[in-house]
Amino acid sequence: MTSKRKRYSRSAKSARHEADAPILDVAGLGVEYDGQIALDHVSFRLVRGEQIAVVGPNGAGKSTLFKAIAGVLQPTRGRIQVAGHQPGRHICIAYVPQHSRTDQTFPVNVADVVMMGRIGKLGWLRHPRSRDWEYVDHCIETVGLTDLVRRQIGELSGGQQQRMFIARALAQEAELMLMDEPLTGLDVTAQEKVIEVLEALRPHGVTVLVATHDLNLAARQFDRVMLLNKEMIGFGKPDEALTTERLRLAYGEHLQLIHIDERTIVVSDTCCEGGVK
Amino acid sequence: MSGLVDLLLAPFAYSFMVRGLLAVIMVGIVCAVIGTYVVLRGMAFLGDALAHAILPGIAVGYLLGNGSQGALFWWGLLAAILTALGIGAVSKRARIKEDTAIGILFAGMFALGIALISTTRSYAVDLAHFLFGDVLGVSPADLLLTALFGGAILLVVALLYKEFLVLSFDPILAATLRLPASMLHYLLLLLIAVAIVVSLQTVGVALMVAMLVTPAATAYLLARRLLPMMLLAAAIGALSGVIGLYVSYYAGVASGAAIVLVCTALFLLALLFAPRQGMAWTWLRRLAQIIAR
């Protein structure tokens, strides 16, 4: 039974992990669209289980970076390795989309969407069985959506949808989770719920990359912060990465820094709050 | 009571009506099931184009095959497959939008089909037959082909249910899960093409898109999950076919048109009276508010 399962499973074909390799190793990454540089000279390494915030102005290349890591987009230059292998063969990467990008009227409920994460493990010609649905229920419980399992997705709030997609990433047994502005357009309570779920992921050892506009949140909540504007301007502990100089370099005139006594108050990129682009 | 039963059974004293009945049920089911993806992926225009673009294939089959139905089927299938692949390739590589590519190929192929058919002496009659179908002309051999290929379509849809679902809902997830997205897309186009060809005799080229889109859209208004939507669409498609056949028999209306009109009527009913989202309920609520004021 197990051997048969393995034969049909897509995961059996996907790359094996090298235990001592960093979960994500990006070196000299550059991406161009139609000759326009979207991203260049990006190099960094992530330790397993880290939670990283990726900040930068609109068009800084945050989505491009995530899509390149997910293997959806072919880099022009450089190298990306996930646990020691090319991203193209990994199904352990989960890309959590912005909730505004999903079709709200699609006839699926929460359990259906989370089950989609399992199909890489299921493999071809197999339909989910009761133990797959149990796994899905467990993932939904982790993000606190058990009461809403049978809801059609259009009936969920933005924050609930974000948590649903996190549950889907868990169902995928993803080791690297890429979240593209999961908090944009959410109210404060919904944001806090999503952050609670991110905290709950820590014991699972999932490495999380979150693109966000919220510099305060980035500084407060994440292990390390990456400051991006086409090139990598800073990467490190929040106080190292988000210096006045670097913030000015990244945001230019879109950022106001207010100095009061010894403290710096950051007023960021307000034009982009609320998901308006 | 027995009068009603007689009324329902009377048409089927003729064997061609029995064959017609079987054909509309099978076509209704197959088109509605594959049509579910046409609706969810916004491929209605593409489905319409594919249906029209098989005309030159049918014309060649007609001119070469001396009127044999088998020749029409296979040449139609060839044209449908070539068009499905052509649309995919042109929209991918050329610097034009997909709907423009579809428009160009669809009109060009359709014109070629008309040009070919216009070389025959019985031009108008032949063209009308291909454009609007003739369910009463379904032969036993047609039925067999419809059953075989229709069954194959349903089998593929069942086997690749979760893959097509992910591809339609979230292409990026499909890419990160390493699903062969473009292969699955072409396969879906191929399935639509085959569904069109097996339905040709029943509804014809011009009204085909209604069989693909309308029952699925009706089900979309009523269902909240994909599998119920598919099953409901299949039931609506088959039911529309059967009712349409009766309307055609008793009112003397062209069969293809009658079937499509029934599909449309059912859609309008769902649009008005669907639980919760029906437009009639919104109007009633508004009316109640005005009265209350």
Side-chain angles (χ1 to χ4, degrees), chain B residues 45 110 150 154 167 174 183 189 193 220 231 235 254-255 275 287:
Chain B
F45 182 46
F110 193 52
L154 296 182
L167 193 70
M183 198 198 86
L189 287 180
Y220 180 69
L231 297 176
S255 56
L287 193 68

Side-chain angles (χ1 to χ4, degrees), chain A residues 125-193:
Chain A
L125 308 183
R126 284 174 172 277
H127 289 280
R129 297 180 183 187
S130 59
R131 62 165 165 218
D132 296 303
W133 288 110
E134 275 163 30
Y135 196 87
V136 162
D137 284 342
H138 170 71
C139 298
I140 292 171
E141 200 186 325
T142 309
V143 301
L145 288 178
T146 303
D147 295 340
L148 306 177
V149 177
R150 307 268 164 257
R151 284 276 180 95
Q152 197 263 331
I153 52 163
E155 297 162 354
L156 299 183
S157 69
Q160 287 164 346
Q161 286 195 19
Q162 278 303 326
R163 286 189 276 151
M164 172 184 75
F165 284 121
I166 294 172
R168 188 177 78 180
L170 287 173
Q172 201 181 322
E173 294 176 45
E175 292 172 45
L176 183 60
M177 208 181 281
L178 307 164
M179 304 179 70
D180 199 354
E181 304 199 17
L183 306 174
T184 303
L186 303 189
D187 61 45
V188 178
T189 335
Q191 289 194 6
E192 274 166 10
K193 281 249 172 69

Side-chain angles (χ1 to χ4, degrees), chain B residues 41-287:
Chain B
R41 295 168 61 90
M43 296 162 76
F45 182 46
L46 197 140
D48 194 28
L50 261 184
H52 282 80
I54 66 171
L55 196 62
I58 297 163
V60 170
Y62 181 65
L63 294 174
L64 296 181
N66 294 323
S68 104
Q69 295 288 347
L72 293 185
F73 180 86
W74 293 110
W75 280 99
L77 190 61
L78 182 70
I81 292 170
L82 288 179
T83 312
L85 298 178
I87 289 170
V90 169
S91 62
K92 230 181 204 176
R93 306 227 164 74
R95 299 188 65 126
I96 47 175
K97 293 214 172 82
E98 188 179 29
D99 63 335
T100 309
I102 293 168
I104 293 166
L105 276 174
F106 142 44
M109 292 285 275
F110 193 52
L112 180 63
I114 293 174
L116 285 171
I117 295 170
S118 70
T119 60
T120 64
R121 231 180 265 166
S122 51
Y123 168 45
V125 178
D126 295 340
L127 189 63
H129 177 90
F130 297 136
L131 286 184
F132 305 116
D134 179 17
V135 70
L136 303 182
V138 171
S139 68
D142 287 336
L143 271 185
L144 186 68
L145 282 174
T146 306
L148 282 177
F149 281 87
I153 290 171
L154 296 182
L155 185 69
V156 174
V157 169
L159 288 176
L160 296 177
Y161 178 82
K162 62 188 193 311
E163 281 80 9
F164 280 138
L165 171 62
V166 169
L167 193 70
S168 306
F169 179 68
D170 190 345
I172 291 185
L173 178 69
T176 53
L177 291 174
R178 307 301 149 212
L179 292 179
S182 61
M183 198 198 86
L184 286 170
H185 180 68
Y186 279 119
L187 180 61
L188 193 61
L189 287 180
L190 185 68
L191 293 178
I192 296 168
V194 176
I196 287 168
V197 177
V198 298
S199 315
L200 191 73
Q201 181 72 22
T202 310
V203 281
V205 163
L207 296 173
M208 185 71 65
V209 67
M211 294 307 288
L212 286 172
V213 167
T214 314
T218 310
Y220 180 69
L221 293 176
L222 299 170
R224 291 148 57 82
R225 294 180 75 191
L226 182 60
L227 188 61
M229 176 180 165
M230 269 184 184
L231 297 176
L232 193 60
I236 293 168
L239 185 71
S240 304
V242 175
I243 298 175
L245 203 58
Y246 278 114
V247 172
S248 165
Y249 183 85
Y250 283 111
V253 181
S255 56
I259 294 168
V260 170
L261 282 175
V262 174
C263 286
T264 314
L266 291 177
F267 172 78
L268 291 175
L269 279 178
L271 191 65
L272 284 173
F273 300 114
R276 283 179 311 190
Q277 282 151 348
M279 284 167 72
W281 312 139
T282 322
W283 293 336
L284 276 180
R285 249 173 273 139
R286 229 174 271 164
L287 193 68

Side-chain angles (χ1 to χ4, degrees), chain A residues 227 233-236 240-251:
Chain A
L227 188 56
I233 292 168
F235 182 46
E240 296 162 14
L242 302 176
T243 59
T244 312
E245 217 173 295
R246 284 184 169 150
L247 284 169
R248 254 194 227 292
L249 204 57
Y251 284 88

